[in-house]
Amino acid sequence: QVQLVESGGGLVQPGGSLTLSCKVSGGDFSIYTMDWHRQAPGKEREILGFITGGGRTFYANSVKGRFTISRDNTWNTVYLQMDSLKPEDTAVYYCKANYESQQYWGQGTPVTVSS
């Protein structure tokens, strides 16, 4: 019933910026807490941050000050704005919805930071 579709990944140079989108269908998006996660090869998936239905945000130390999470409840979309990108940011990025004690994941979108 709840589906997430991600877009916006791609190749970017070090120091550049990229914005990912995650559009949600099903349920009441306005009450979802939405997370962003990433997984690099050989590493465990890590949480980057989240945004509550009320718009409060949290960021992991690894991306604090560089990444910004926002949401548009009219368009049922959450965004991850990434600035000052580093090669170590290269990973597959996932959004996640938290709704009625269940977790719903996006399909993942790859981000490659390279010159």
Side-chain angles (χ1 to χ4, degrees):
Q1 183 176 357
V2 177
Q3 294 184 328
L4 287 66
V5 178
E6 300 180 38
S7 62
L11 175 66
V12 64
Q13 294 184 355
S17 298
L18 200 65
T19 299
L20 307 182
S21 299
C22 177
K23 186 172 178 60
V24 180
S25 61
D28 186 354
F29 175 78
S30 66
I31 67 173
Y32 297 172
T33 292
M34 298 291 301
D35 305 349
W36 283 100
H37 302 243
R38 70 184 179 189
Q39 187 166 21
K43 293 186 176 182
E44 297 294 318
R45 190 170 297 186
E46 63 173 328
I47 187 168
L48 304 176
F50 62 80
I51 185 167
T52 70
R56 306 297 290 181
T57 54
F58 163 85
Y59 300 98
N61 288 335
S62 60
V63 302
K64 190 178 300 181
R66 298 190 298 123
F67 290 12
T68 303
I69 300 171
S70 61
R71 68 191 298 156
D72 185 336
N73 289 345
T74 299
W75 294 98
N76 289 5
T77 302
V78 64
Y79 304 93
L80 179 65
Q81 180 183 332
M82 303 181 291
D83 299 316
S84 301
L85 284 163
K86 307 172 182 179
E88 50 263 45
D89 294 319
T90 296
V92 177
Y93 285 70
Y94 300 87
C95 61
K96 178 170 69 73
N98 305 280
Y99 179 62
E100 295 186 342
S101 301
Q102 298 188 59
Q103 299 177 348
Y104 302 88
W105 291 89
Q107 82 280 8
T109 186
V111 172
T112 301
V113 184
S114 176
S115 60

